């Protein structure tokens, strides 16, 4: 007996386009997405921010919580939440997107959380910069990775593990990583990582470890499941693949008009309508341009200044809608010249699909 009931078990079924299994629907019920209509707001209300939790939400006690710095540090220590809150406080608007956002748009579809467009949100995260605390613990000379461990434990592909991720010393120096205890001015909710989480601005969400308990300095590369066993751009299950890191340029639209309850198709009256939405990119690179496709033609939208370096920008375009059937689309270009592809390159797990958002509308009297 291995003592592991999931030994050798993957659990992933063969997928069919447009057909979702009970297990996938179960994942979707737990991991809610944003309401696209709230893309009209700069800051996503906490209750409308998307959620992605692999295992169970651990219910941690604030007063008893400790963050442990251990491993190859010369001056390891532990901190209580009270001590972390006494460190210099920073509030930063950060757009976070799940790497699996858009997965249902890649065929064949990976068997996993069936996101379409809605796994993105922007919150005001409050906490303290992580780098000075790591420096205080004095990493030893040979440190090549810092590992971040969450309190949640579970199984994937037969491997039992606490959710964990890592960053190299170079990445840590480059990124404005925060140790966060508040979201939109309120203590973190259990499902968003209470009482303490990481926020890695500009990277896909998997790097922002929730329920953070431990920072371990490592002299060998971290091999945690969530670092090497998944979040990789792979064409086959056998290859390791390149790691998923920075968010790719993307935009979404507030669906205009009024919806049909079931199909989400829209109806609007002819005349002037303001199309609007949000656009973002990764690694602190600003969005340069947003275009909206109406019929066959792309039109340049007006792009607002973002709230912060790592936050999305609002965009809008006034459209004099004429009767007809349209599949509207939006696409963004960032300051590094990256533009949303009409079709994203396929990968085994359906990561980082940044193809344009399409919204079907009927303009009718
Ligand atoms: N400990 C832990 N941290 C985690 C996860 C998790 O399952 N466990 N999910 C990650 C993923 S994949 C994403 S997209 C973000 C989602 O954060 P949110 O649920 O607060 O939106 O958290 C990340 N941090
Ligand atoms: Mo994610």
């Amino acid at each position: 007996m291995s003592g592991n009931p999931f030994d050798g078990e993957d659990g992933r079924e063969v997928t069919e386009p447009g057909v979702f299994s009970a297990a996938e629907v179960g994942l979707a019920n737990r991991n809610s997405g944003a309401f696209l209509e709230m893309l009209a707001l700069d800051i996503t209300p906490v209750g409308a921010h998307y959620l992605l939790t692999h295992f169970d939400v651990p219910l941690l006690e604030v007063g008893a919580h400790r963050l442990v710095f251990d491993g190859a540090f010369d001056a390891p220590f532990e901190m209580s939440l009270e001590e972390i809150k006494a460190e210099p406080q920073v509030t930063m608007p950060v757009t976070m997107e799940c790497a699996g956002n858009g997965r249902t748009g890649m065929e064949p579809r990976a068997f996993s959380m069936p996101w379409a467009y809605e796994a993105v949100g922007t919150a005001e995260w409050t906490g303290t910069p992580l780098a000075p605390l790591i420096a205080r613990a004095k990493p030893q000379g040979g440190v090549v990775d810092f590992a971040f461990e969450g309190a949640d434990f579970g199984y994937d592909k037969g491997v039992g593990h606490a959710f964990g991720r890592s960053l190299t010393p170079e990445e840590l120096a480059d990124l404005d990583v925060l140790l966060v205890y508040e979201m939109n001015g309120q203590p973190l909710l259990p499902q968003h990582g209470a009482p303490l989480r990481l926020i890695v601005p500009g990277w896909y969400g998997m790097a922002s470890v929730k329920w953070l308990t431990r920072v371990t300095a490592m002299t060998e590369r971290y091999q945690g499941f969530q670092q090497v066993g998944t979040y990789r751009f792979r064409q086959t299950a056998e290859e390791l693949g390149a790691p998923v890191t920075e968010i790719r340029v993307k935009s979404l639209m507030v669906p205009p008009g009024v919806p049909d309850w079931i199909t989400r198709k829209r109806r609007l009256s002819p005349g002037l309508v303001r199309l609007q939405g949000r656009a973002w990119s990764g690694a602190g690179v600003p969005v340069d341009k947003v275009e909206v496709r109406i019929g066959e033609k792309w039109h340049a939208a007006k792009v607002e200044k973002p709230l912060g370096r790592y936050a999305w920008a609002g965009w809008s375009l006034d459209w004099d809608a004429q009767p007809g059937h349209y599949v509207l689309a939006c696409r963004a270009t960032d300051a590094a010249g990256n533009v949303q592809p009409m079709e994203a390159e396929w990968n085994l797990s359906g990561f980082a699909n940044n193809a344009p958002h399409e919204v079907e509308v009927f303009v009718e009297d």
Side-chain angles (χ1 to χ4, degrees), residues 143-165:
V143 168
V144 294
D145 260 336
F146 296 105
F148 306 102
E149 192 175 281
D152 50 333
F153 185 95
Y155 293 83
D156 194 357
K157 296 177 187 159
V159 181
H161 60 281
F163 187 97
R165 292 278 309 178

Side-chain angles (χ1 to χ4, degrees), residues 37 47-48 74 81 105 115 126 146 156 191 219 234 236 262 277 281 310 347:
E37 52 272 39
D74 278 335
L81 203 70
W115 292 122
T126 298
F146 296 105
D156 194 357
Q191 58 270 43
T219 52
R234 291 176 301 170
T236 67
I262 299 295
S281 191
Y310 299 104
N347 63 87

Side-chain angles (χ1 to χ4, degrees), residues 50-54 97-101 103 115 119 163 204-207 231 351:
Y50 85 92
L51 287 170
L52 197 295
T53 295
H54 287 76
E97 181 180 10
C98 183
N101 201 15
R103 173 174 289 127
W115 292 122
F163 187 97
Y204 282 109
M206 73 280 146
Y231 296 112
F351 289 137

